[in-house]
Amino acid sequence: MHARLPAHAGIDLSGRTVLVTGAAGAIGTAVSRVFAAAGAHVIGLDVRAGDGVIGCDVTDEVSVGQALAGTEMTDLVHCAGVLSVGEVLATPVGEIRQVLDVNLMSCFILAQVAGGRLGAGGTMTFLGSQAWARGAPGWAVYCAAKAGVTRLVEALAQELGPAGIRVNAVCPGSVDSPMMHRAADLIAARAGADPAGVSQRYARENPLQRMASPDEIAGVCLFLCSPLASYINGASIMVDGGDRPG
């Protein structure tokens, strides 16, 4: 059974303006909800515009600049991402570029935009992945992109720390979300297996014997932006139920 974050867990972010990318996705939606419950003003960006979500291509600095023209912010939570499943030799170059652009290049673009607007006490939180820790067959492009996010976070933390800006990454394992189910579909297609069986295997092999809920990932993002995490900087926090790559 999935845990659901109880309201805002007593964290008060009143007076803060938080930019959430990927705001129409499962994790981005959960992040937006819990930050709003904590009193923050949330600005949502997503390639899919919708109710309260501004349409924006986070891989395009012009699109990001236009979407955020005149906007001030205190925090960034960058949730936008895409996946790729397939052997390196069989993955089209265009797909590789897209995954690197959305999962990694966008982090540089958002960091530049946010870095010029955040002041002391500001935070940047990037969605990494358990996949950063080790390459795996069929996951090379995604692993490489997420490893890049971790290294970027470490560098940014050192560059921006003197200005009082903290930079961290939240690194989920398997999350019960459309993206994970899409991954199960792709894995099953490669193996001639049942997608439901693939999802069940991922859940069963976790020490907690389930996937995370989007709210559980959002809760860690909320914590990192709060005063409770005031001395956490340059960290990539695994939120994987103990299922460590090895």
Side-chain angles (χ1 to χ4, degrees), residues 99-100 103-104 131-132 134-135 139-150:
V99 173
L100 293 175
N103 291 333
L104 181 56
W132 76 264
R134 180 170 178 165
W139 289 91
V141 183
Y142 190 74
C143 288
K146 292 303 185 178
V149 173
T150 297

Side-chain angles (χ1 to χ4, degrees), residues 110-138:
L110 268 296
Q112 289 182 340
V113 170
R117 303 184 191 203
L118 302 183
T123 67
M124 296 186 195
T125 303
F126 295 89
L127 258 291
S129 171
Q130 174 200 65
W132 76 264
R134 180 170 178 165

